[in-house]
Amino acid sequence: MARVLAVVNQKGGVGKTTTSVNLAAALAQAERRILLVDLDPQGNATMGSGVDKRSLGRTVYHMLVGLAELPQVRVRAERGGFDLLPANRELAGAEIELVELGRREVRLKEALGHIDSEYDFVLIDCPPSLSLLTVNGLTAAQRVLIPMQCEYYALEGLSDLVATIKRVRSNLNPQLEIAGLLRTMYDPRNTLSQQVSQQLEQHFGNKVYRTLVPRNVRLAEAPSYGVPAVLWDGASKGAQAYVALAAEILAQGQAA
């Protein structure tokens, strides 16, 4: 049975898509079968995986509104070594259309149920909002990975996200748990970063991943080449951080 991780933060610019793409590639390097689901209408995970979002005939949008089955949507991200359910701006329309449809919160979960045995991990890159698309991601997942910057506003937003996770657990997905908080764009020279990092460790304990993802130019460059950073420059500090995160997540599974 696949382990399904939703990568979620309603705040934009925290490294959510960078985390989704590089974690997918790092787990694929560890010889795991990976499916990455791009649930963001911006389609950045699609482009960052080396798939041109502008040339797609079918996307995750068609799957969610019932116009296509998952195998018709799935493509191979050859450079990353994983499978992808791609997205583009069409997905923005799904927000409106899903409201009118039955079982609107569980459509992704039902689609993924048909291919559960084909993968070791399914990673869901959710949009930067607490929307119906994000609710689909949380309902389909067993665990939530929360990337966040170590800054004051991030702590404020975290309480809203935790409340949303609790609501989804109560009403839609009783097995949903937080897998861990990932500190991204970390700068050890910044006193505030250190303080917020310590607060997270005090409050969330072992739910905070040991891995720290630093600010790293290679992580920012890689998407423009359509290659995950762990393959673009595996020796860079950013790439090494995601390899370390993949090792932590694999160890979590063995301990579970």
Side-chain angles (χ1 to χ4, degrees):
M1 189 171 140
R3 289 166 64 190
V4 186
L5 270 175
V7 183
V8 181
N9 194 323
Q10 78 273 28
K11 193 172 185 299
V14 297
K16 196 165 36 58
T17 297
T18 299
T19 296
S20 300
V21 170
N22 284 288
L23 180 56
L27 288 168
Q29 279 188 324
E31 299 185 345
R32 300 306 193 274
R33 301 167 301 163
I34 308 300
L35 175 66
L36 175 60
V37 182
D38 190 351
L39 263 196
D40 189 340
Q42 295 177 88
N44 290 339
T46 299
M47 295 293 277
S49 301
V51 175
D52 186 353
K53 66 183 179 183
R54 296 159 297 196
S55 64
L56 295 165
R58 292 189 179 98
T59 67
V60 73
Y61 158 79
H62 297 90
M63 186 185 81
L64 289 175
V65 299
L67 296 174
E69 300 292 322
L70 188 149
Q72 298 171 299
V73 173
R74 179 171 50 192
V75 297
R76 184 72 178 165
E78 294 292 350
R79 288 170 159 181
F82 52 83
D83 287 349
L84 172 73
L85 296 183
N88 57 24
R89 67 182 61 177
E90 283 183 308
L91 187 55
E95 283 283 358
I96 301 157
E97 293 177 52
L98 283 171
V99 173
E100 306 292 327
L101 298 175
R103 302 181 63 75
R104 61 191 179 199
E105 298 95 348
V106 297
R107 286 182 162 254
L108 179 61
K109 181 176 185 175
E110 289 174 345
L112 293 176
H114 298 301
I115 51 92
D116 193 55
S117 61
E118 296 179 34
Y119 297 99
D120 300 305
F121 287 89
V122 177
L123 304 179
I124 305 170
D125 183 32
C126 295
S129 62
L130 298 179
S131 62
L132 196 47
L133 289 172
T134 300
V135 169
N136 260 270
L138 291 172
T139 304
Q142 299 140 4
R143 299 286 184 270
V144 183
L145 190 161
I146 305 172
M148 58 182 295
Q149 286 182 260
C150 290
E151 58 179 34
Y152 174 71
Y153 290 124
L155 287 174
E156 281 202 326
L158 185 58
S159 59
D160 293 338
L161 179 54
V162 170
T164 299
I165 290 168
K166 286 178 178 175
R167 282 197 299 274
V168 171
R169 186 165 60 216
S170 298
N171 299 310
L172 295 163
N173 184 3
Q175 68 176 338
L176 188 65
E177 299 286 347
I178 294 175
L181 280 74
L182 176 67
R183 293 162 288 181
T184 60
M185 304 180 197
Y186 186 76
D187 184 352
R189 299 166 299 177
N190 185 318
T191 304
L192 180 61
S193 285
Q194 293 175 20
Q195 290 172 346
V196 173
S197 178
Q198 287 165 5
Q199 283 179 284
L200 288 172
E201 289 174 346
Q202 287 165 9
H203 191 71
F204 288 94
N206 61 5
K207 289 289 188 185
V208 180
Y209 288 112
R210 294 189 304 276
T211 300
L212 292 160
V213 180
R215 286 193 178 275
N216 182 253
V217 69
R218 288 309 211 189
L219 290 177
E221 286 175 348
S224 64
Y225 295 94
V227 187
V230 294
L231 299 165
W232 172 244
D233 185 355
S236 67
K237 287 182 179 178
Q240 289 176 346
Y242 281 112
V243 171
L245 175 65
E248 265 196 83
I249 287 171
L250 289 171
Q252 265 184 350
Q254 288 163 358

